[in-house]
């Protein structure tokens, strides 16, 4: 209620909290102290701050939209993407999803893989996300392609137009890709049937 009363004025602080991270040295030290019951809480970690920030941003609801570009930037530049994905999966608009898909042109395959992972959770605008996932299916890095196939599985009936491409991938020499493509096709067929009924 307090965050809702503050409104958009809370955004800068909440985003700062969400961005807070722990150095590798701090993480290593905290791991060592875990062995000692008396000292295991001696080093304050930023995880609870990030969680509190995510809860605060969720409490603000649709008025968090001005923070979406920063959330996208966090996803494209950091390995810690759990909370940004959670926030965008509930409220991302088509502009935000379009901005996310720009990450598929990144030369770093890990960024492309993260973008595909996000697109499996952020499904509000399939007209933007599905073409991006089709693009990712042609990625030269198998892990990105594999992530794209898994993401299409989550779309169900909405991915029906991609079924022919998935059919080709179900015969891929990589057993992981062919297996996920087969599962995705089954899910599309099941979702389409139940939608028609």
């Amino acid at each position: 209620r307090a965050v809702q009363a503050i409104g958009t004025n809370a955004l800068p602080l909440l985003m700062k909290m969400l961005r807070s991270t722990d150095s590798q040295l701090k993480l290593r030290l905290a791991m060592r102290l875990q062995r000692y019951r008396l000292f295991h809480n001696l080093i304050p970690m930023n995880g609870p701050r990030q969680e509190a920030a995510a809860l605060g941003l969720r409490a603000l609801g649709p008025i968090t939209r001005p923070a979406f570009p920063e959330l996208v930037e966090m996803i494209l530049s950091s390995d810690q993407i759990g909370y940004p994905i959670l926030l965008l999966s509930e409220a991302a608009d088509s502009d935000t999803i379009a901005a996310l898909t720009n990450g598929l042109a990144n030369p770093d395959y890990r960024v492309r893989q993260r973008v595909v992972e996000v697109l499996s959770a952020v499904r509000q605008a399939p007209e933007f996300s599905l073409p991006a996932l089709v693009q990712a299916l042609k990625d030269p890095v198998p892990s990105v392609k594999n992530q794209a196939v898994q993401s299409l599985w989550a779309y169900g009936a909405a991915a029906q137009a991609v079924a022919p491409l998935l059919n080709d991938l179900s015969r891929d020499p990589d057993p992981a890709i062919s297996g996920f493509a087969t599962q995705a096709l089954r899910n599309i067929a099941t979702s389409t049937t139940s939608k028609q009924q």
Side-chain angles (χ1 to χ4, degrees), residues 169-193:
L169 287 170
S170 67
R171 295 184 291 277
D172 194 276
D174 184 326
I177 291 172
S178 61
F180 280 120
T182 303
Q183 287 179 15
L185 284 166
R186 282 195 202 114
N187 193 43
I188 290 168
T190 305
S191 303
T192 306
T193 305

Side-chain angles (χ1 to χ4, degrees), residues 31-50:
M31 290 284 284
R32 288 188 182 217
L33 287 176
Q34 286 292 326
R35 289 182 258 173
Y36 308 102
R37 191 174 294 168
L38 291 173
F39 303 114
H40 76 281
N41 282 330
L42 192 62
I43 299 177
M45 305 299 286
N46 279 308
R49 281 173 56 86
Q50 293 172 331

Side-chain angles (χ1 to χ4, degrees), residues 107-175:
D108 187 342
Y109 81 93
R110 291 167 299 183
V111 173
R112 300 196 304 272
Q113 193 169 338
R114 279 202 301 274
V115 169
V116 172
E117 185 183 340
V118 176
L119 292 175
S120 70
V122 182
R123 300 191 292 272
Q124 294 92 320
E127 67 275 15
F128 290 99
S129 49
L130 282 173
L133 289 171
V134 168
Q135 179 188 336
L137 287 173
K138 299 166 188 168
D139 198 281
V141 178
S143 61
V144 178
K145 189 191 287 192
N146 198 357
Q147 187 69 54
V149 174
Q150 291 180 59
S151 297
L152 284 167
W153 179 87
Y155 277 76
Q160 193 171 12
V162 188
L165 191 51
L166 286 170
N167 199 37
D168 291 341
L169 287 170
S170 67
R171 295 184 291 277
D172 194 276
D174 184 326

